Amino acid sequence: GQNIDQPTEMTATEGAIVQINCTYQTSGFNGLFWYQQHAGEAPTFLSYNVLDGLEEKGRFSSFLSRSKGYSYLLLKELQMKDSASYLCAALTGGGNKLTFGTGTQLKVEL
Amino acid sequence: DAGVIQSPRHEVTEMGQEVTLRCKPISGHNSLFWYRQTMMRGLELLIYFNNNVPIDDSGMPEDRFSAKMPNASFSTLKIQPSEPRDSAVYFCASSLNSAGETQYFGPGTRLLVL
């Protein structure tokens, strides 16, 4: 079966850096997505990693280690608007099927 | 450009009634996904289509749920009869049909079955 684990909640301070971890055990792994979801809204795409290493996109970076079944999302210079749920999702099989983790609720405080 | 369109945005119904959720994918996208999101189980894939053909329906909870995609610009998810445990947010998403293509989500339908 597919198993994706991420912390349920995290709290961080405005202006700080936070790292959200995700571990996965899946069959036919083809890549790792991160989505952001604000309360009452739809998930929106943040990043996609298919190769090992770090992908940087502005304040957000995502890292993947396929051998360890591990990824993280790094958020720098945190802003209040970054308070949201962050969903880790594994791309599995030969197509474009995503299996999502249950999400990490991030709260940014002053 | 219009994103994924879903209707209705909110639905309140009574147990036993039929519910039909509708989705229009982004023009040019040939993969369509139906998800259900609850606090307890998170975001779960129910079914997905490639080029209007159902590819994987292993997430459909039971025979009360059915989905169709009669053409490239329209899909429905039907629950008949509905039960209180079906209460959830149902999202439709679309993408291009290639591994690694980003899925774009619609605004969702909030379903409450009384």
Side-chain angles (χ1 to χ4, degrees), chain A:
Chain A
Q2 320 287 18
N3 191 42
I4 299 177
D5 289 316
Q6 49 182 134
T8 304
E9 303 179 322
M10 297 184 72
T11 301
T13 305
E14 188 179 36
I17 299 173
V18 70
Q19 178 174 312
I20 302 174
N21 296 323
C22 171
T23 57
Y24 61 88
Q25 291 177 307
T26 64
S27 56
F29 177 80
N30 284 319
L32 199 290
F33 281 83
W34 284 95
Y35 279 78
Q36 180 190 60
Q37 185 177 24
H38 285 100
E41 298 183 8
T44 56
F45 169 77
L46 286 179
S47 69
Y48 171 57
N49 294 67
V50 62
L51 300 176
D52 285 0
L54 189 67
E55 295 277 345
E56 296 187 77
K57 189 185 296 184
R59 294 190 300 115
F60 292 6
S61 302
S62 57
F63 172 84
L64 177 66
S65 169
R66 295 176 71 118
S67 62
K68 295 182 179 178
Y70 168 68
S71 174
Y72 67 72
L73 181 68
L74 193 70
L75 291 76
K76 303 176 186 176
E77 301 170 14
L78 280 172
Q79 302 175 8
M80 298 298 288
K81 67 178 182 178
D82 297 329
S83 293
S85 181
Y86 291 85
L87 304 168
C88 170
L91 183 67
T92 58
N96 44 6
K97 177 178 179 177
L98 285 179
T99 301
F100 281 84
T102 52
T104 298
Q105 187 65 45
L106 174 66
K107 182 178 180 181
V108 180
E109 300 178 328
L110 292 172

Side-chain angles (χ1 to χ4, degrees), chain A residues 30 33 35 37 39-45 48 87 91 93-102, chain B residues 31 33 35 37 43 45 48 50 56 58 91 95-103 105-107 110:
Chain A
N30 284 319
F33 281 83
Y35 279 78
Q37 185 177 24
E41 298 183 8
T44 56
F45 169 77
Y48 171 57
L87 304 168
L91 183 67
N96 44 6
K97 177 178 179 177
L98 285 179
T99 301
F100 281 84
T102 52
Chain B
S31 291
F33 307 81
Y35 290 91
Q37 188 172 40
L43 193 62
L45 178 67
Y48 81 93
N50 281 346
D56 186 339
S58 59
F91 287 104
S95 75
L96 293 171
N97 181 15
S98 293
E101 291 292 340
T102 298
Q103 293 183 22
F105 284 75
R110 292 184 175 275

Side-chain angles (χ1 to χ4, degrees), chain B residues 4-6 22-25 32-35 75 90-94 104-109:
Chain B
V4 175
I5 299 172
Q6 291 187 246
R22 298 173 176 79
C23 176
K24 177 179 171 55
L32 183 141
F33 307 81
W34 282 102
Y35 290 91
S75 177
Y90 290 82
F91 287 104
C92 176
S94 72
Y104 295 88
F105 284 75
T109 296

Side-chain angles (χ1 to χ4, degrees), chain B residues 16-30:
Chain B
Q17 296 298 306
E18 178 179 295
V19 174
T20 299
L21 310 181
R22 298 173 176 79
C23 176
K24 177 179 171 55
I26 293 172
S27 178
H29 281 186
N30 45 14

